[in-house]
Amino acid sequence: MPCTWITSDLQLRLILTLFLVAECLSVGMEGPKTSNNSMQQMDSVNHSSVSTTSSMERKQSTVTLHTEVETSQSVLVDTKALLTCPPVRWPSVLVVTWEIVLRDKPPCFRAYRRDTNQTTRGNCTDKRITWASRPDENPDLQVDPVAITHDGNYTCQIVTSDGNFHHEYHLQVLVPPDVTLIQTEKGTAVCKAAAGKPAAQISWTSEGDCVTEQKPYWGNGTVTVQSTCRWGGRHVLNVSCSVSHLTGNKSLLIQLSQGAETPAHLKILYIIAPIFIILIVVGSIWLLKISGCRKCKLKKTEHTPVVEEDEMEPYASYTEKNNPLYDITNRVKTSQVLQSEADGMNLHTIYVPRV
């Protein structure tokens, strides 16, 4: 009896062990399947959510690109600028509005209402900013001619039955600079790009000791750029100034003088010498004039005419010549004068007797 119980007990334990092992194996096999199913379900959910999100993003980006556009446009001064609205179905258009914001000016607008075929010009007084053609046919805007003051933002807004659309322009007016290249007295070269918009860039060939500065020109948005370059003691014959600008590039060439820089004492001498020469010439002329005046005075004194006694008034002269009394008186006076002169000269009358 005891042995039979032991055998049956061992058999029972063996059966229980096998049952437990089988149970564990079955659980182990079903666990991975469940986890795999759950992972597949999660992947499918994530994939669907990602696809939904991407489709929504694509829709959003499509709508944004379709309704809002921004453009930077550069135009040369004194030319014509054409600004266009977004392309839409014209029968669906309700209202077209151009909003204009210029530098240092209050905003203004131009509008067209299609159902009433009316246009409005809200405080836009610049006659150069107009519709490109009839607004009921073409809502584009034109600026003709373009001036420096037309820098700013221009926005076309269209309200349609399909939605709202707008196109914004950042308009930049370009002004070509006036380029000059000169050599100064100090042996340096100065390259200037005056009144350009935007500011120009200056470069040199051959390179030297250069200083570049910018100055605003008349406060209208233009800038003057000046570059002063010096080559010291180097033997440089020709130099070139290159100006780069959005309106075009330009180069100027100049030949440098080979003379050394004049010292300061020689510059002073060059200034004083002409003055000294002028003083010498003026002094010489003054002395000649004085000596000439003295000689003239002496000659006048020597050649002073003696007034003859017989120069009288016409009537007195006539009386003396025709009156015998005056004639006798004159003879007596003449004989007396001759006698006195003879006495003064100790002359004596010698009578020679006749033979």
Side-chain angles (χ1 to χ4, degrees):
M1 290 293 294
C3 292
T4 304
W5 179 83
I6 292 172
T7 303
S8 61
D9 190 19
L10 289 173
Q11 290 177 350
L12 181 62
R13 287 182 179 181
L14 182 59
I15 292 170
L16 289 175
T17 302
L18 293 173
F19 179 77
L20 290 173
V21 169
E23 185 70 21
C24 289
L25 291 173
S26 64
V27 170
M29 292 296 293
E30 290 178 358
K33 290 181 180 179
T34 306
S35 61
N36 289 334
N37 292 333
S38 62
M39 289 294 292
Q40 289 177 358
Q41 290 177 357
M42 289 177 66
D43 289 341
S44 63
V45 171
N46 290 334
H47 181 69
S48 61
S49 63
V50 168
S51 62
T52 304
T53 305
S54 62
S55 63
M56 290 178 65
E57 288 179 353
R58 282 197 299 270
K59 288 181 180 179
Q60 267 188 344
S61 63
T62 304
V63 171
T64 302
L65 291 174
H66 183 60
T67 58
E68 297 182 4
V69 180
E70 293 185 6
T71 304
S72 295
Q73 183 169 339
S74 299
V75 60
L76 190 64
V77 68
D78 295 330
T79 60
K80 179 181 177 180
L82 181 64
L83 310 177
T84 60
C85 288
V88 296
R89 292 190 309 110
W90 189 248
S92 64
V93 173
L94 301 176
V95 178
V96 179
T97 304
W98 276 98
E99 184 181 3
I100 305 168
V101 182
L102 302 179
R103 186 181 67 246
D104 301 331
K105 289 185 179 180
C108 71
F109 68 92
R110 287 179 176 271
Y112 168 71
R113 185 171 177 177
R114 188 168 178 271
D115 58 349
T116 59
N117 197 24
Q118 292 180 348
T119 58
T120 305
R121 184 177 64 184
N123 69 334
C124 286
T125 58
D126 195 336
K127 296 181 179 180
R128 292 167 291 186
I129 303 176
T130 59
W131 299 98
S133 62
R134 292 176 53 182
D136 58 342
E137 297 178 353
N138 186 1
D140 297 343
L141 194 73
Q142 71 176 6
V143 184
D144 187 22
V146 175
I148 300 178
T149 55
H150 289 144
D151 259 348
N153 296 332
Y154 300 75
T155 305
C156 175
Q157 299 178 353
I158 300 181
V159 179
T160 69
S161 57
D162 300 329
N164 299 336
F165 306 84
H166 80 274
H167 190 165
E168 183 177 0
Y169 290 90
H170 303 285
L171 190 67
Q172 182 186 21
V173 181
L174 305 179
V175 181
D178 184 16
V179 181
T180 57
L181 176 61
I182 60 173
Q183 181 182 0
T184 63
E185 296 179 357
K186 296 181 180 179
T188 60
V190 178
C191 184
K192 182 185 291 186
K197 184 176 178 299
Q201 295 181 351
I202 298 177
S203 59
W204 290 91
T205 306
S206 305
E207 295 183 358
D209 184 12
C210 305
V211 177
T212 303
E213 56 182 355
Q214 295 185 7
K215 296 179 181 179
Y217 187 82
W218 296 110
N220 58 359
T222 59
V223 180
T224 295
V225 182
Q226 177 174 306
S227 180
T228 304
C229 204
R230 185 172 183 178
W231 288 266
R234 290 188 295 167
H235 186 71
V236 179
L237 294 177
N238 300 319
V239 294
S240 175
C241 164
S242 299
V243 177
S244 302
H245 195 259
L246 292 178
T247 59
N249 302 329
K250 190 173 184 179
S251 296
L252 296 179
L253 181 68
I254 192 172
Q255 184 176 4
L256 296 179
S257 61
Q258 296 303 312
E261 186 175 355
T262 306
H265 66 279
L266 290 180
K267 291 182 179 179
I268 297 174
L269 181 61
Y270 292 157
I271 295 173
I272 295 176
I275 299 175
F276 185 70
I277 293 171
I278 292 172
L279 291 176
I280 292 175
V281 172
V282 172
S284 301
I285 294 172
W286 183 69
L287 291 174
L288 290 173
K289 186 178 288 187
I290 291 176
S291 61
C293 290
R294 288 180 178 176
K295 290 181 180 179
C296 290
K297 288 181 180 179
L298 290 174
K299 288 181 179 180
K300 288 181 180 179
T301 304
E302 292 176 356
H303 296 286
T304 301
V306 178
V307 179
E308 296 181 359
E309 294 182 357
D310 60 341
E311 290 183 358
M312 300 180 181
E313 293 181 2
Y315 178 75
S317 178
Y318 175 79
T319 306
E320 291 179 357
K321 290 180 180 180
N322 292 280
N323 196 338
L325 295 176
Y326 284 106
D327 187 35
I328 296 171
T329 305
N330 287 334
R331 290 179 180 177
V332 172
K333 289 181 178 179
T334 302
S335 62
Q336 291 177 354
V337 169
L338 292 174
Q339 185 64 38
S340 62
E341 289 179 357
D343 294 339
M345 297 175 65
N346 294 322
L347 298 175
H348 300 279
T349 303
I350 301 175
Y351 295 95
V352 179
R354 295 180 180 178
V355 179

mmCIF file of all heavy atoms in Angstrom, residues 26 64-65 75 86 91 102 104 117 120 160 183 226-227 280-281 287 292 329 338:
data_model
loop_
_atom_site.group_PDB
_atom_site.id
_atom_site.type_symbol
_atom_site.label_atom_id
_atom_site.label_comp_id
_atom_site.label_asym_id
_atom_site.label_seq_id
_atom_site.Cartn_x
_atom_site.Cartn_y
_atom_site.Cartn_z
ATOM 1 N N SER A 26 2.141 28.172 -23.418
ATOM 2 C CA SER A 26 1.010 28.775 -24.129
ATOM 3 C C SER A 26 0.892 30.261 -23.859
ATOM 4 O O SER A 26 0.634 31.074 -24.751
ATOM 5 C CB SER A 26 -0.285 28.049 -23.736
ATOM 6 O OG SER A 26 -0.536 28.237 -22.354
ATOM 7 N N THR A 64 -2.349 79.638 -47.853
ATOM 8 C CA THR A 64 -1.518 80.801 -47.570
ATOM 9 C C THR A 64 -0.856 81.325 -48.840
ATOM 10 O O THR A 64 -0.863 82.516 -49.115
ATOM 11 C CB THR A 64 -0.448 80.430 -46.530
ATOM 12 O OG1 THR A 64 -1.095 79.960 -45.359
ATOM 13 C CG2 THR A 64 0.427 81.632 -46.209
ATOM 14 N N LEU A 65 -0.301 80.443 -49.615
ATOM 15 C CA LEU A 65 0.339 80.870 -50.842
ATOM 16 C C LEU A 65 -0.667 81.459 -51.829
ATOM 17 O O LEU A 65 -0.337 82.322 -52.616
ATOM 18 C CB LEU A 65 1.076 79.685 -51.486
ATOM 19 C CG LEU A 65 2.315 79.174 -50.745
ATOM 20 C CD1 LEU A 65 2.838 77.928 -51.410
ATOM 21 C CD2 LEU A 65 3.383 80.239 -50.675
ATOM 22 N N VAL A 75 13.154 99.526 -58.704
ATOM 23 C CA VAL A 75 12.871 100.228 -59.955
ATOM 24 C C VAL A 75 13.747 101.466 -60.030
ATOM 25 O O VAL A 75 14.018 102.123 -59.012
ATOM 26 C CB VAL A 75 11.369 100.596 -60.051
ATOM 27 C CG1 VAL A 75 10.965 101.497 -58.914
ATOM 28 C CG2 VAL A 75 11.039 101.230 -61.389
ATOM 29 N N PRO A 86 -3.190 89.846 -57.389
ATOM 30 C CA PRO A 86 -3.212 88.389 -57.536
ATOM 31 C C PRO A 86 -4.188 87.964 -58.635
ATOM 32 O O PRO A 86 -5.235 88.592 -58.822
ATOM 33 C CB PRO A 86 -3.686 87.899 -56.160
ATOM 34 C CG PRO A 86 -3.407 89.015 -55.233
ATOM 35 C CD PRO A 86 -3.561 90.258 -56.025
ATOM 36 N N PRO A 91 -15.188 87.461 -62.580
ATOM 37 C CA PRO A 91 -16.611 87.539 -62.243
ATOM 38 C C PRO A 91 -16.895 87.410 -60.753
ATOM 39 O O PRO A 91 -17.949 87.869 -60.276
ATOM 40 C CB PRO A 91 -17.228 86.365 -63.019
ATOM 41 C CG PRO A 91 -16.298 86.140 -64.156
ATOM 42 C CD PRO A 91 -14.938 86.422 -63.609
ATOM 43 N N LEU A 102 3.781 105.287 -48.003
ATOM 44 C CA LEU A 102 5.053 105.857 -48.433
ATOM 45 C C LEU A 102 5.841 106.371 -47.238
ATOM 46 O O LEU A 102 5.293 106.599 -46.158
ATOM 47 C CB LEU A 102 4.813 106.999 -49.433
ATOM 48 C CG LEU A 102 4.032 106.631 -50.695
ATOM 49 C CD1 LEU A 102 3.855 107.855 -51.575
ATOM 50 C CD2 LEU A 102 4.721 105.517 -51.457
ATOM 51 N N ASP A 104 7.522 108.696 -44.708
ATOM 52 C CA ASP A 104 7.260 110.030 -44.146
ATOM 53 C C ASP A 104 5.948 110.638 -44.651
ATOM 54 O O ASP A 104 5.819 111.863 -44.725
ATOM 55 C CB ASP A 104 8.417 110.992 -44.450
ATOM 56 C CG ASP A 104 9.744 110.500 -43.885
ATOM 57 O OD1 ASP A 104 9.707 109.801 -42.860
ATOM 58 O OD2 ASP A 104 10.799 110.807 -44.460
ATOM 59 N N ASN A 117 -19.640 99.817 -59.786
ATOM 60 C CA ASN A 117 -18.686 100.360 -60.770
ATOM 61 C C ASN A 117 -18.195 101.760 -60.359
ATOM 62 O O ASN A 117 -18.125 102.682 -61.163
ATOM 63 C CB ASN A 117 -19.314 100.407 -62.165
ATOM 64 C CG ASN A 117 -18.266 100.551 -63.261
ATOM 65 O OD1 ASN A 117 -17.108 100.179 -63.062
ATOM 66 N ND2 ASN A 117 -18.656 101.103 -64.395
ATOM 67 N N THR A 120 -12.761 105.022 -55.695
ATOM 68 C CA THR A 120 -12.548 105.954 -54.584
ATOM 69 C C THR A 120 -11.062 106.210 -54.447
ATOM 70 O O THR A 120 -10.253 105.276 -54.538
ATOM 71 C CB THR A 120 -13.098 105.385 -53.269
ATOM 72 O OG1 THR A 120 -14.466 105.037 -53.448
ATOM 73 C CG2 THR A 120 -12.980 106.408 -52.150
ATOM 74 N N THR A 160 -13.363 88.546 -52.993
ATOM 75 C CA THR A 160 -14.151 87.804 -53.969
ATOM 76 C C THR A 160 -15.126 86.885 -53.239
ATOM 77 O O THR A 160 -15.050 86.696 -52.014
ATOM 78 C CB THR A 160 -13.237 86.968 -54.883
ATOM 79 O OG1 THR A 160 -12.654 85.907 -54.116
ATOM 80 C CG2 THR A 160 -12.147 87.814 -55.491
ATOM 81 N N GLN A 183 42.780 114.063 -58.405
ATOM 82 C CA GLN A 183 44.000 114.021 -57.605
ATOM 83 C C GLN A 183 44.143 115.348 -56.878
ATOM 84 O O GLN A 183 44.046 116.416 -57.486
ATOM 85 C CB GLN A 183 45.228 113.760 -58.480
ATOM 86 C CG GLN A 183 46.526 113.678 -57.671
ATOM 87 C CD GLN A 183 47.734 113.458 -58.554
ATOM 88 O OE1 GLN A 183 47.610 113.367 -59.774
ATOM 89 N NE2 GLN A 183 48.904 113.379 -57.944
ATOM 90 N N GLN A 226 32.577 108.711 -50.259
ATOM 91 C CA GLN A 226 33.853 109.300 -50.697
ATOM 92 C C GLN A 226 35.000 108.474 -50.136
ATOM 93 O O GLN A 226 35.052 108.186 -48.938
ATOM 94 C CB GLN A 226 33.969 110.744 -50.228
ATOM 95 C CG GLN A 226 35.296 111.401 -50.583
ATOM 96 C CD GLN A 226 35.320 112.879 -50.230
ATOM 97 O OE1 GLN A 226 34.448 113.640 -50.634
ATOM 98 N NE2 GLN A 226 36.302 113.295 -49.467
ATOM 99 N N SER A 227 35.915 108.099 -51.025
ATOM 100 C CA SER A 227 37.081 107.311 -50.632
ATOM 101 C C SER A 227 38.340 108.080 -50.999
ATOM 102 O O SER A 227 38.534 108.455 -52.160
ATOM 103 C CB SER A 227 37.069 105.945 -51.328
ATOM 104 O OG SER A 227 38.196 105.184 -50.944
ATOM 105 N N ILE A 280 57.923 144.951 -55.769
ATOM 106 C CA ILE A 280 59.076 145.572 -56.436
ATOM 107 C C ILE A 280 58.643 146.301 -57.697
ATOM 108 O O ILE A 280 59.065 147.434 -57.978
ATOM 109 C CB ILE A 280 60.133 144.495 -56.756
ATOM 110 C CG1 ILE A 280 60.754 143.962 -55.465
ATOM 111 C CG2 ILE A 280 61.212 145.046 -57.680
ATOM 112 C CD1 ILE A 280 61.717 142.825 -55.674
ATOM 113 N N VAL A 281 57.801 145.676 -58.496
ATOM 114 C CA VAL A 281 57.342 146.317 -59.733
ATOM 115 C C VAL A 281 56.569 147.591 -59.442
ATOM 116 O O VAL A 281 56.776 148.640 -60.074
ATOM 117 C CB VAL A 281 56.490 145.313 -60.550
ATOM 118 C CG1 VAL A 281 55.848 146.012 -61.735
ATOM 119 C CG2 VAL A 281 57.345 144.143 -61.011
ATOM 120 N N LEU A 287 58.617 155.126 -58.329
ATOM 121 C CA LEU A 287 59.831 155.946 -58.372
ATOM 122 C C LEU A 287 60.014 156.594 -59.736
ATOM 123 O O LEU A 287 60.411 157.767 -59.826
ATOM 124 C CB LEU A 287 61.049 155.076 -58.038
ATOM 125 C CG LEU A 287 61.153 154.579 -56.589
ATOM 126 C CD1 LEU A 287 62.315 153.615 -56.440
ATOM 127 C CD2 LEU A 287 61.302 155.768 -55.634
ATOM 128 N N GLY A 292 60.102 161.442 -63.061
ATOM 129 C CA GLY A 292 59.592 162.073 -64.267
ATOM 130 C C GLY A 292 58.880 163.370 -63.971
ATOM 131 O O GLY A 292 59.005 164.353 -64.713
ATOM 132 N N THR A 329 58.579 209.048 -77.691
ATOM 133 C CA THR A 329 58.850 208.609 -76.309
ATOM 134 C C THR A 329 59.571 207.283 -76.300
ATOM 135 O O THR A 329 60.516 207.069 -75.543
ATOM 136 C CB THR A 329 57.528 208.507 -75.525
ATOM 137 O OG1 THR A 329 56.838 209.728 -75.598
ATOM 138 C CG2 THR A 329 57.810 208.130 -74.082
ATOM 139 N N LEU A 338 70.006 201.928 -74.021
ATOM 140 C CA LEU A 338 71.252 201.570 -74.670
ATOM 141 C C LEU A 338 72.423 202.277 -74.011
ATOM 142 O O LEU A 338 73.497 201.719 -73.852
ATOM 143 C CB LEU A 338 71.195 201.914 -76.166
ATOM 144 C CG LEU A 338 70.213 201.059 -76.974
ATOM 145 C CD1 LEU A 338 70.134 201.604 -78.408
ATOM 146 C CD2 LEU A 338 70.661 199.612 -76.993
#
